[in-house]
Amino acid sequence: MASESDSVRHAPVVSYVVDGGCEAHLPDLKSILDRLEELEKKVARITNMERTLENLQKQIRRLQRKQQVLGGSSTENVEESMELYNGLSRKNLENIIAHKTTLSSACKALLLNVFSEDYLITHSITGRRGNTRREAKPMMDERIIQLIRHLLKEKFGRHVPDSVITEKIQNVQKVLRLKYRRLDLHMHPY
């Protein structure tokens, strides 16, 4: 059985008399026009596919440039740098401490940019009860505290122990608690 393309190639031949009675065989004009229409449709589809391919290549180049700007070569690095910590990306946090020269000032800058003062006063690093008779305060977001530790160690050296960073965080909390206690005493002296 002949396929569709065979029927187009072997279009019916019509005999014509050309110059002095010589017969020439020419294909049927309708079948030629049908074949031409099919080819035009295929060309249009190919052109459309080429445009789509160009657009995809542009998007890939754009994403590769974004990835380079974010400083990562793998998709994990891109996802990690895009993750937000209370509305700030890791890159934002790195920029916050870029010009800080001491561990204390960098720690304070990170804490005050990531957490509200109220949050810092009402939460603790461990979530455990201290030596007082008061109830334990809720634990700070551990994911963010770990990131702060990591950023501070990157900037000031891996040799900085966690206990020193914990002490710096607690110092910021103590100053804020004292500040609010004084304000509270001025507002309500008795």
Side-chain angles (χ1 to χ4, degrees), residues 46-71:
I46 291 171
T47 304
N48 199 9
M49 291 165 124
E50 286 173 342
R51 271 192 229 119
T52 303
L53 179 62
E54 286 175 20
N55 289 336
L56 289 172
Q57 288 171 335
K58 285 178 186 176
Q59 287 178 350
I60 288 171
R61 284 191 298 273
R62 200 174 311 126
L63 288 172
Q64 287 171 336
R65 282 193 301 271
K66 280 184 181 180
Q67 186 176 11
Q68 288 172 349
V69 167
L70 294 172

Side-chain angles (χ1 to χ4, degrees), residues 89-108:
S89 70
R90 180 188 172 110
K91 193 72 172 165
N92 295 138
L93 296 174
E94 288 172 354
N95 290 337
I96 288 169
I97 62 170
H99 300 292
K100 301 295 179 188
T101 56
T102 66
L103 183 62
S104 296
S105 64
C107 183
K108 181 179 179 180

Side-chain angles (χ1 to χ4, degrees), residues 118-180:
D118 184 53
Y119 184 92
L120 290 169
I121 291 170
T122 58
H123 288 71
S124 72
I125 295 173
T126 61
R128 285 184 250 145
R129 203 171 100 172
N131 290 335
T132 65
R133 294 182 187 139
R134 296 180 189 165
E135 287 293 316
K137 293 180 179 174
M139 186 175 177
M140 290 180 164
D141 186 338
E142 191 174 0
R143 179 181 66 98
I144 296 175
I145 295 299
Q146 288 301 329
L147 176 69
I148 288 172
R149 288 182 198 280
H150 182 75
L151 291 172
L152 292 173
K153 285 183 177 192
E154 270 184 3
K155 178 154 177 78
F156 295 102
R158 299 259 180 228
H159 65 279
V160 177
D162 284 348
S163 60
V164 171
I165 295 172
T166 298
E167 183 183 321
K168 300 302 177 191
I169 293 171
Q170 289 170 338
N171 288 345
V172 171
Q173 290 178 304
K174 283 178 195 174
V175 169
L176 289 173
R177 287 183 188 123
L178 286 172
K179 174 183 165 184
Y180 278 93

